[in-house]
Amino acid sequence: MAAIRKKLVIVGDGACGKTCLLTAFSKDQFPKVYVSTVFKNYVAGIEVDGTQKPIRPDQGRDMANTIGALGYMECSAKTKDGVREVFEMATRAALQTRRGKEKSGCFIL
Ligand SMILES: Nc1nc2c(ncn2[C@@H]2O[C@H](COP(=O)(O)OP(=O)(O)OP(=O)(O)O)[C@@H](O)[C@H]2O)c(=O)[nH]1
């Protein structure tokens, strides 16, 4: 059977771990040094409450519901926990067909 090719776009804040996630999955490695993928950053700083905390799983699930994502998963590129499952879910979503609806070009996970 011929391989099916799909384009996967990873979106997220700067330094949130996009490159590490892809590297953990595709090369089974965790990059030792952080090198920004963007060559030029234009940054305007604004402090809201003076602290930055990691989001909790329930906040992540709420956000996934808000944006109409097909799924929500947690993973660690560093320990590789859940990385394979993330890409399995992405693959299933990409292969999913929507009956009775117009073809959608994009699924959100
Ligand atoms: N502890 C931990 N740190 C991580 C994980 N994934 C990424 N990091 C760290 O987060 C930082 C940014 O990771 P990147 O994958 O380069 O982030 P990015 O989103 O590609 O960054 P930009 O290209 O600047 O947008 C690095 O210092 C990584 O070591 C993880 O699963 N666990």
Side-chain angles (χ1 to χ4, degrees):
M1 191 165 77
I4 300 168
R5 285 180 165 264
K6 297 283 182 182
K7 186 176 284 187
L8 174 68
V9 180
I10 308 265
V11 182
D13 285 347
C16 73
K18 302 178 293 292
T19 304
C20 288
L21 176 62
L22 288 168
T23 308
F25 180 68
S26 62
K27 298 183 179 168
D28 201 27
Q29 290 171 1
F30 184 76
K32 290 187 175 61
V33 183
Y34 168 55
V35 180
S36 177
T37 309
V38 181
F39 298 109
K40 286 188 180 176
N41 290 317
Y42 299 92
V43 178
I46 180 166
E47 192 167 295
V48 177
D49 61 6
T51 58
Q52 188 181 15
K53 297 175 190 160
I55 62 159
R56 298 187 313 267
D58 58 306
Q59 292 173 309
R61 278 189 287 273
D62 285 349
M63 175 56 74
N65 286 336
T66 302
I67 64 174
L70 288 180
Y72 172 79
M73 298 189 77
E74 302 235 341
C75 70
S76 167
K78 194 169 189 176
T79 63
K80 305 198 180 74
D81 284 341
V83 169
R84 183 160 185 84
E85 288 79 0
V86 166
F87 285 90
E88 279 176 5
M89 181 187 266
T91 303
R92 278 197 203 97
L95 296 174
Q96 185 174 310
T97 53
R98 289 177 157 192
R99 291 201 182 108
K101 289 191 175 178
E102 279 191 28
K103 258 189 172 179
S104 170
C106 182
F107 292 102
I108 303 170
L109 290 179

